[in-house]
Amino acid sequence: MNRRLIAAIGTAALVVSVAACSSSSKSSSSSSSSSSSASGGKTLTVWLMTGDNPTDWVSSVTADFKAANPGDNINIQIQQWTNITQKVTAALSQNNPPDVIDIGNTNTPFYAASGGLMDITSLKSELGGDGWTPAMNGSAVYNGKQYAAPWYAGGRAVMYNKALWAKAGLTAAPTTMAEYEADLAKLKGTAGVSSALYLPGQYWYFFDGLLQQAGANIATQSGSTWSGTLNTPAALQAANTFKTLQAFGTAPKDQTEATQDTFFEKGNVATMIAMGYEEGAITTANPKLANQIGWFPIPSDTAGTPGKTFLGGSNLAISANSQNKTLAESFLKVALDQKNESAFAKDSGFLPNTSADYSALAGNAYAQAYEQAAPEAGYTPLVPTWSNVENAPNPITTLFLTPVLEGKSPTDSAAAADVQIASRLNQQQ
């Protein structure tokens, strides 16, 4: 068993998983792994996260894998996001772990540093890596080595209610943040609108995009030491923008965006910062909104250039202790080929790992809006200890965003958050 991974299990118990941008479909989970099947061939075990298993895509990948590996089988097991970091860390420490694992992109450095992932640098070209979108591939590389393959990505865009938009006399999507704020002012004064923008005060994923847009960071590294950098002019500017936007609605200042779709579905919220899968939840709850939802990129200060956003998503990795590495490599080649990568994008609405496959997103309004923003997207610090920052209580939200929205000193709040961010990032893994 890998000693670094054994040690990491204790660390993983203290952190929360970084949620990739997947939907919330319900599936059973299993943690067993098998290296041989009743027919005498080998069985490849693949862990996919709930929502990352569209039926048609699974059928296609399974058939292609079996065609490429006659006599061998594949066992796809669906895992839940709750406590997944600890579960994956424990599994990777075993001598017979799942062979291929679907992991949140910002968690890749954690597993790579623990020794749990196979170095696939030599396979990159065979997997189509020469065409991977650089922004997506950034999360799959650690210390200059390729430890995973980027699979899909997505980020936030503006979801809007077309009927309320028309009622306010608005006919075109804004191209700058100033135009968006002007539109929100009109919407706020429109009868029947409860929130021009429903923006929960602890929506830090959106705030991270504003930070990037302002040229700021959550933290910076000097040598081996991290420092929180929210108490800087650029970060405070981003916080002020967040506060201005939050005031256009009635969302609580001390809650996350987890249930925001339940407010939009009522039909009186004009706009919301959302992920594509939230539209499905909303129209299922309120079918009357099925043809009333539109999307546009979060604006920046420059017309024609979308605002920066946090890029969420998932990578596919091979366990370092896999007993079926050749089959695992074959699975990655099949799952990431143009046919299956495009099929997953079409089924899920998330961006594929190369812009050459964006044609699969035709007709998906969310995806077409976000693909404009993807080149401007970025990440939180891609380091093994990043999950410590997100561990509740998250200092970005509880020490900074919510206090600022409640009228407390921005500089004092930022300074308090910076202390906690630095402490968590500098913890030993």
Side-chain angles (χ1 to χ4, degrees):
M1 295 175 67
N2 187 306
R3 293 181 181 276
R4 282 185 293 166
L5 276 164
I6 294 171
I9 293 174
T11 301
L14 301 176
V15 302
V16 295
S17 64
V18 180
C21 47
S22 63
S23 63
S24 57
S25 62
K26 296 181 180 179
S27 302
S28 61
S29 72
S30 172
S31 60
S32 63
S33 181
S34 174
S35 60
S36 63
S37 66
S39 62
K42 295 182 178 180
T43 296
L44 184 81
T45 299
V46 178
W47 278 12
L48 297 181
M49 298 309 302
T50 181
D52 288 356
N53 58 320
T55 301
D56 291 343
W57 179 85
V58 169
S59 296
S60 176
V61 168
T62 298
D64 290 351
F65 174 82
K66 289 184 175 181
N69 303 278
D72 294 317
N73 293 297
I74 183 170
N75 178 17
I76 294 178
Q77 301 174 358
I78 308 306
Q79 308 299 318
Q80 307 301 315
W81 284 106
T82 303
N83 298 322
I84 190 59
T85 304
Q86 185 177 5
K87 185 173 184 178
V88 169
T89 303
L92 291 175
S93 71
Q94 304 300 312
N95 291 326
N96 191 27
D99 302 293
V100 177
I101 299 182
D102 162 13
I103 52 180
N105 54 7
T106 55
N107 260 6
T108 302
F110 173 76
Y111 300 124
S114 299
L117 305 182
M118 174 180 158
D119 179 358
I120 61 171
T121 304
S122 63
L123 294 173
K124 182 180 176 183
S125 293
E126 293 181 58
L127 296 175
D130 295 337
W132 289 340
T133 304
M136 285 182 63
N137 193 44
S139 70
V141 176
Y142 179 68
N143 282 348
K145 296 181 179 181
Q146 193 84 38
Y147 281 101
W151 183 18
Y152 71 83
R156 278 78 189 165
V158 180
M159 177 193 290
Y160 69 98
N161 183 313
K162 294 179 181 179
L164 296 180
W165 203 263
K167 192 173 183 180
L170 300 172
T171 58
T175 60
T176 66
M177 183 59 74
E179 289 179 3
Y180 183 39
E181 291 182 13
D183 290 345
L184 291 175
K186 290 182 181 179
L187 289 162
K188 188 174 182 179
T190 300
V193 174
S194 63
S195 286
L197 169 62
Y198 190 87
L199 179 62
Q202 295 192 354
Y203 199 163
W204 78 267
Y205 288 112
F206 173 58
F207 174 64
D208 182 66
L210 296 179
L211 281 175
Q212 295 179 44
Q213 191 63 43
N217 299 294
I218 292 173
T220 57
Q221 188 177 29
S222 178
S224 60
T225 302
W226 284 90
S227 299
T229 51
L230 293 179
N231 194 18
T232 60
L236 294 172
Q237 173 190 331
N240 186 61
T241 299
F242 187 95
K243 183 176 183 179
T244 298
L245 293 172
Q246 209 270 339
F248 282 108
T250 60
K253 296 177 173 60
D254 60 351
Q255 293 183 23
T256 72
E257 72 283 6
T259 60
Q260 64 176 4
D261 58 287
T262 63
F263 293 90
F264 194 98
E265 69 189 33
K266 296 176 181 178
N268 54 14
V269 170
T271 68
M272 185 173 77
I273 308 299
M275 296 291 296
Y277 60 80
E278 292 180 83
E279 179 177 349
I282 289 167
T283 55
T284 297
N286 184 357
K288 293 181 180 179
L289 292 178
N291 297 314
Q292 293 298 328
I293 292 178
W295 295 87
F296 57 83
I298 297 170
S300 71
D301 293 331
T302 304
T305 303
K308 295 182 181 299
T309 61
F310 169 78
L311 187 66
S314 278
N315 300 328
L316 292 175
I318 298 174
S319 303
N321 289 342
S322 168
Q323 302 300 304
N324 300 301
K325 288 187 172 67
T326 300
L327 287 181
E329 293 171 10
S330 177
F331 175 82
L332 260 59
K333 291 175 184 177
V334 166
L336 299 172
D337 68 20
Q338 185 173 22
K339 183 189 78 170
N340 287 314
E341 184 73 358
S342 295
F344 186 88
K346 183 177 181 179
D347 286 348
S348 69
F350 292 121
L351 303 185
N353 59 24
T354 170
S355 59
D357 294 336
Y358 279 6
S359 59
L361 302 172
N364 186 310
Y366 156 75
Q368 291 179 312
Y370 191 69
E371 71 178 58
Q372 300 174 51
E376 306 295 324
Y379 298 101
T380 53
L382 292 171
V383 293
T385 53
W386 171 252
S387 292
N388 293 341
V389 177
E390 292 194 49
N391 187 31
N394 183 333
I396 301 170
T397 58
T398 60
L399 296 180
F400 185 48
L401 283 181
T402 293
V404 169
L405 294 176
E406 292 175 342
K408 296 182 180 178
S409 166
T411 55
D412 290 348
S413 299
D418 282 344
V419 170
Q420 271 296 308
I421 291 170
S423 174
R424 297 183 186 202
L425 286 176
N426 291 321
Q427 286 177 12
Q428 293 296 315
Q429 186 181 7

